[in-house]
Amino acid sequence: MGRLAVETDQEIREKGVRTRIKGIVQGVGFRPFIYNLALAHHLRGFVSNTSEGVYIEVEGDPDFLDAFHRGIIAEKPPLAHITSIETIEQELKSYSDFTIHKSEAQEHRRTLISPDVCVCEDCLRELFDPKDRRFGYPFINCTNCGPRYTIIMDIPYDRPFTAMKGFKMCPPCEAEYHDPADRRFHAQPNACWDCGPLVRLWAHAGQEIRAGNPIEEARKLLKQGKIVAIKGLGGFHLAADATNNEAVKRLRQRKHREEKPLALMCPSLEQIREFARVTEEEGSLLNSIQRPIVILEKKPNADIAEEVSPRNRTYGIMLPYTPLHYLLFQGDDLLALVMTSGNISEEPIAIDNEEAFKRLGDIADYFLNHNRDIYLRSDDSILRVLGAVPRQIRRSRGYVPIPTFLKRSLEPILACGAEWKNTVCLTRGDQVFLSQHIGDLENLETLNFFQMTIQHLKRILEIEPKIVAYDLHPDYLSTQYALKQSSMIQVGVQHHHAHIVSAMAEHGLAGPVIGIALDGTGYGADGQIWGGEVLVVEPKQFERVGHFAYLPMPGGAAAIKKPWRMAVSALYEAFGDEFLKISLPFLEGIPRKRVDILIHMIGQGVNTPLTSSCGRLFDSVAAIAGVRNYVAYEGQAAVELEAGAEEDLERVYPFEIREKDGALEFLTAPIIKSVVADVNEGCSTGLISATFHNTLVALFLDVCERVRASRKFKQVVLSGGCFQNARLLVQLTEALENQGFEVFSQAQVSSNDGGIALGQAVAADAMYKAGL
Ligand SMILES: [Zn+2]
Ligand SMILES: [Zn+2]
């Protein structure tokens, strides 16, 4: 009798619960995790993937149910990212065991997809274990690691919707895939030597080199100074031995990449420390599962070829992240490899084998290819630790497509970004999805990639945008694309407004704030080229309260590649015709006739837009100070000016701020005159650079004080490409904070034009809702 009573008790005590979990919960080992957790707590029911996330029904002892739900949060798999968890009690359905259900394809696709991440410790151990059946297999992966975003064609995330659809699993892989206790349970890219993709080495298209171990062979070729195109996770890399100056030089020439630093891959943190300084923060960033390129300070006397990062104080370095990379570095005879994006100049990175043979055939001596398709290209992400905060410079692999979560819901929006360093952005409720780095929209290939990315994101996120946001610049291809989308409401957002709102979105600021937007080029509301702007900003509107005095930009965009032109313009502004009487070393190499033509253009206003750009002011100062007259990439002169700056934090040039048409105007002439005086007195470039940086800090502090005095705002938001200048960002932040301002700058999203689409989306939503 007593026994019966106990049983009845238990039945009464049992409870049933259904749970919906949203976030990144598919393709990250979530269902097996739930399965094992449910078994550990003696629960019955099932778990399934839905297009919204994960759905669970469980029943059992209420205490165990509580422990189970606590465990979901506390013990979730490393790649999982839970955004919401909803639990409702339901009547008992008397399940007999716990099972994993097949995915159901639903109409709504609200799930989040994991980014691609580096190979995990467990897989690495197996990779180098001669007794393991995947010993040396370059595509080893499990539910905790490997490719995701770049191999997904559609959702739900199941093998038939990925680039693995053509590979039929062998019986042992199949068994792992179906065994809930296995680390590869439902790992969609699961594969092995017998059934998965394989690596092959080619000399040219159609000329395969039959080597016993193609990866080992590739390493030998790299050691001999050859250039090898290597297919990776999000695209091809072009690799060369980073200690071989000749090889690196050849790679530069063939890739038409003159000056920009080349990224390095190095097998271990210890080896990186041989030629670069690594702080604790930088070390953990390098080691994170995202494995980004981290900008690190060079150490002197390095073995690394000068050609890797000429006239620059830093290297961009990453650790290996695919099993193939680890195999490539096996043998300890490579200190570091140049691993630069597999493209010519600014074209998008190559992802397809045939495409690679065609486009990289003139650059690479050999191709290390494989037959797992890359569905969506994704470059390596680049981060830099500034002011103790890791900051995105190029946000791509490892981070995309994790959304930014806002405090409020937005209309469905497509934001098309700017022209250079383009990214696009799509919104869904309170989630904002910034795409991977697309590139400079200057050629057909990049424009195609731009359009493909929009289509792909719309499909996998199931977003049908109602509003299209775009930059005001009429010549941007992204703007022209937006203006063709006649089914959507078109909202133009001013470039620097978008910069500041992008930073505000990251920090959840509603404004009004004082926004300091400093960059190279942005189309202004008055049709001129802005770039040295102090704005009062809310998402729905902005007011231009101050800016650098306009300087003529002779030849328009051509002046960007020729800083000496901006120098002449700034000198002419400061001294008038008198400046020709001043002898300045930087003018020595330039024929007098060309200077005269330039001055004539300025005088007549021929092909000479006006600019308030801080980037162009940097160019002028850099040229006059003797850094360089020509650049190979935008901002190069400024980067080198900063790199050479001395420590001095006190010396400041006189500057002048005056009121004009209700706004503040920061005159360039007093600064330029002082730089000229310094040059003529033989002052070092490093001291001129330090003084110029100090002057900008003092000037913007002064402007912020004036705005605060009249309007009482004390939140200052910094954005724009110039804030990738470490010295300017750190020094200005400190100076403002010392005076009681609250200062916000970007970390999650790039402060350059790569982050602008996010600001466009948030601003366009606010403008639309305000009826503007
Ligand atoms: Zn793994
Ligand atoms: Zn297999």
Side-chain angles (χ1 to χ4, degrees):
M1 243 178 91
R3 230 177 102 216
L4 260 179
V6 170
E7 272 178 11
T8 314
D9 256 10
Q10 265 180 355
E11 270 164 32
I12 291 166
R13 282 189 61 208
E14 294 223 321
K15 237 170 65 175
V17 166
R18 62 170 181 266
T19 303
R20 284 177 203 282
I21 303 173
K22 293 180 188 171
I24 301 178
V25 288
Q26 291 186 12
V28 293
F30 208 81
R31 284 179 300 169
F33 157 69
I34 293 293
Y35 174 87
N36 288 313
L37 194 65
L39 289 194
H41 293 102
H42 314 289
L43 302 175
R44 306 176 312 274
F46 71 91
V47 57
S48 71
N49 271 352
T50 69
S51 290
E52 296 221 298
V54 161
Y55 179 73
I56 307 166
E57 288 194 10
V58 273
E59 51 195 48
D61 183 285
D63 290 340
F64 281 137
L65 281 171
D66 286 349
F68 170 77
H69 283 103
R70 281 196 305 274
I72 293 176
I73 304 287
E75 297 158 34
K76 65 178 169 55
L79 299 192
H81 182 89
I82 295 173
T83 58
S84 86
I85 178 161
E86 187 190 287
T87 300
I88 298 169
E89 207 175 314
Q90 65 176 15
E91 60 189 50
L92 292 173
K93 295 188 181 171
S94 305
Y95 291 110
S96 57
D97 55 2
F98 194 91
T99 52
I100 296 180
H101 284 190
K102 260 198 146 73
S103 301
E104 38 174 312
Q106 280 183 351
E107 281 170 26
H108 295 288
R109 306 169 172 196
R110 293 285 151 132
T111 186
L112 293 172
I113 294 159
S114 168
D116 307 278
V117 293
C118 75
V119 57
C120 74
E121 295 282 326
D122 291 331
C123 285
L124 267 186
R125 225 178 346 264
E126 292 168 356
L127 181 66
F128 291 110
D129 176 2
K131 292 195 287 294
D132 193 273
R133 72 185 188 92
R134 289 190 181 82
F135 176 58
Y137 182 59
F139 301 95
I140 190 168
N141 69 82
C142 71
T143 50
N144 298 323
C145 73
R148 295 289 185 279
Y149 179 60
T150 52
I151 60 163
I152 292 178
M153 297 173 198
D154 205 342
I155 60 163
Y157 175 62
D158 268 342
R159 194 151 169 133
F161 299 114
T162 71
M164 290 300 292
K165 69 170 194 274
F167 298 96
K168 193 181 164 359
M169 277 185 276
C170 67
C173 285
E174 184 99 35
E176 292 166 341
Y177 183 87
H178 290 294
D179 176 5
D182 196 278
R183 206 171 85 248
R184 297 192 169 88
F185 178 62
H186 287 194
Q188 305 305 343
N190 189 28
C192 74
W193 283 113
D194 292 334
C195 65
L198 295 172
V199 168
R200 288 162 152 204
L201 185 67
W202 303 75
H204 297 288
Q207 252 193 304
E208 189 181 351
I209 293 173
R210 304 224 173 249
N213 185 340
I215 299 175
E216 202 177 295
E217 198 60 32
R219 180 173 62 242
K220 281 185 202 151
L221 292 165
L222 286 163
K223 280 300 283 179
Q224 289 164 19
K226 303 290 189 224
I227 296 167
V228 183
I230 300 173
K231 190 174 184 179
L233 208 50
F236 275 81
H237 281 117
L238 287 161
D241 180 355
T243 61
N244 184 331
N245 209 41
E246 285 309 305
V248 181
K249 210 162 158 179
R250 212 163 51 242
L251 173 55
R252 269 197 190 283
Q253 281 161 356
R254 292 185 188 171
K255 194 175 141 85
H256 304 298
R257 182 154 165 148
E258 309 281 305
E259 297 275 353
K260 256 188 189 172
L262 297 166
L264 297 176
M265 183 178 277
C266 191
S268 72
L269 216 50
E270 294 75 60
Q271 275 166 286
I272 293 176
R273 288 204 167 94
E274 289 180 24
F275 57 93
R277 287 178 214 289
V278 187
T279 64
E280 204 175 306
E281 273 144 344
E282 289 161 343
S284 49
L285 195 55
L286 284 162
N287 253 324
S288 67
I289 55 171
Q290 291 85 3
R291 291 290 156 94
I293 295 171
V294 181
I295 307 288
L296 300 171
E297 202 186 321
K298 283 182 185 177
K299 265 187 190 170
N301 306 323
D303 292 325
I304 302 296
E306 172 61 27
E307 282 290 322
V308 169
S309 181
R311 286 167 292 283
N312 206 307
R313 230 145 84 165
T314 58
Y315 290 124
I317 309 176
M318 61 188 147
L319 289 171
Y321 54 86
T322 68
L324 192 153
H325 295 151
Y326 278 95
L327 294 167
L328 198 59
F329 279 108
Q330 217 188 349
D332 296 332
D333 52 352
L334 281 167
L335 173 63
L337 286 174
V338 165
M339 287 284 256
T340 183
S341 298
N343 56 8
I344 299 170
S345 194
E346 299 302 330
E347 287 181 6
I349 186 167
I351 53 173
D352 188 61
N353 292 353
E354 290 308 313
E355 176 200 5
F357 284 137
K358 217 161 59 202
R359 283 175 50 203
L360 308 179
D362 292 336
I363 307 176
D365 302 309
Y366 295 90
F367 289 83
L368 194 60
N369 275 3
H370 62 71
N371 54 343
R372 186 178 71 198
D373 288 340
I374 298 169
Y375 195 67
L376 203 62
R377 71 191 81 224
S378 186
D379 290 81
D380 296 315
S381 293
I382 306 176
L383 281 96
R384 185 173 187 183
V385 177
L386 289 180
V389 180
R391 296 173 195 269
Q392 291 283 355
I393 292 177
R394 182 170 80 190
R395 184 179 175 274
S396 257
R397 175 186 53 75
Y399 300 92
V400 175
I402 295 178
T404 301
F405 296 92
L406 301 179
K407 285 181 182 164
R408 61 191 177 86
S409 233
L410 303 188
E411 299 286 338
I413 296 172
L414 163 66
C416 297
E419 175 95 331
W420 288 343
K421 304 180 175 73
N422 181 276
T423 63
V424 298
C425 179
L426 280 151
T427 65
R428 187 171 73 186
D430 60 353
Q431 301 169 353
V432 184
F433 298 87
L434 201 59
S435 75
Q436 72 274 37
H437 168 78
I438 292 171
D440 298 347
L441 290 180
E442 288 178 323
N443 52 57
L444 192 63
E445 286 78 8
T446 315
L447 186 66
N448 288 340
F449 178 30
F450 166 85
Q451 292 177 348
M452 184 195 167
T453 304
I454 292 173
Q455 293 313 322
H456 186 73
L457 283 173
K458 275 168 67 175
R459 182 170 63 246
I460 63 172
L461 300 170
E462 218 200 36
I463 295 172
E464 208 37 71
K466 171 172 147 189
I467 297 170
V468 61
Y470 59 93
D471 195 275
L472 297 179
H473 202 308
D475 298 338
Y476 283 1
L477 293 180
S478 56
T479 302
Q480 290 170 3
Y481 171 88
L483 293 175
K484 280 187 213 134
Q485 308 306 310
S486 49
S487 60
M488 294 184 229
I489 300 161
Q490 298 163 345
V491 181
V493 182
Q494 199 277 327
H495 192 90
H496 303 95
H497 182 204
H499 265 309
I500 300 297
V501 174
S502 173
M504 290 169 74
E506 181 176 330
H507 294 284
L509 302 175
V513 300
I514 304 171
I516 304 181
L518 306 180
D519 66 359
T521 305
Y523 197 81
D526 59 359
Q528 306 296 358
I529 298 166
W530 294 6
E533 311 303 312
V534 178
L535 313 170
V536 165
V537 180
E538 291 171 71
K540 67 169 192 271
Q541 63 193 12
F542 75 96
E543 182 192 341
R544 193 186 194 200
V545 294
H547 58 91
F548 276 111
Y550 283 126
L551 282 177
M553 202 171 156
I560 296 171
K561 290 273 171 83
K562 295 167 182 162
W564 73 269
R565 289 192 178 204
M566 282 312 299
V568 167
S569 175
L571 287 163
Y572 192 67
E573 171 78 18
F575 296 97
D577 287 330
E578 290 295 300
F579 107 83
L580 288 170
K581 295 178 191 156
I582 310 167
S583 106
L584 283 163
F586 89 97
L587 281 171
E588 277 161 18
I590 295 161
R592 173 61 191 270
K593 209 177 145 209
R594 293 179 66 191
V595 176
D596 288 341
I597 293 172
L598 218 61
I599 290 172
H600 182 75
M601 282 171 79
I602 294 168
Q604 302 292 306
V606 185
N607 188 19
T608 299
L610 297 176
T611 186
S612 55
S613 162
C614 187
R616 297 293 83 77
L617 183 62
F618 262 97
D619 285 350
S620 314
V621 172
I624 299 168
V627 172
R628 58 168 57 245
N629 283 346
Y630 301 90
V631 295
Y633 60 92
E634 205 217 358
Q636 186 183 9
V639 166
E640 291 176 12
L641 186 70
E642 183 208 349
E646 285 176 16
E647 296 290 308
D648 188 291
L649 294 173
E650 303 297 324
R651 196 166 177 267
V652 175
Y653 293 132
F655 57 87
E656 197 182 326
I657 299 168
R658 71 171 179 205
E659 277 204 51
K660 194 187 171 195
D661 308 327
L664 302 171
E665 198 182 42
F666 331 138
L667 302 187
T668 59
I671 300 173
I672 295 295
K673 282 180 176 167
S674 308
V675 173
V676 168
D678 269 359
V679 171
N680 285 336
E681 279 164 31
C683 188
S684 74
T685 306
L687 186 59
I688 294 174
S689 170
T691 314
F692 177 61
H693 281 88
N694 301 341
T695 307
L696 290 178
V697 170
L699 187 151
F700 286 109
L701 179 61
D702 186 332
V703 173
C704 287
E705 302 267 24
R706 289 174 195 230
V707 178
R708 179 167 61 179
S710 60
R711 317 224 188 172
K712 314 291 172 219
F713 309 140
K714 60 168 193 165
Q715 291 183 327
V716 181
V717 174
L718 312 178
S719 184
C722 292
F723 286 109
Q724 281 172 359
N725 176 321
R727 180 158 178 149
L728 186 62
L729 176 72
V730 173
Q731 222 180 308
L732 182 57
T733 302
E734 229 175 77
L736 286 163
E737 284 176 349
N738 285 342
Q739 294 308 313
F741 288 97
E742 256 185 277
V743 186
F744 302 88
S745 50
Q746 283 155 292
Q748 305 295 321
V749 166
S750 171
S751 67
N752 65 28
D753 285 4
I756 227 162
L758 169 63
Q760 285 177 343
V762 176
D765 175 80
M767 290 161 82
Y768 170 75
K769 283 176 178 154
L772 296 169

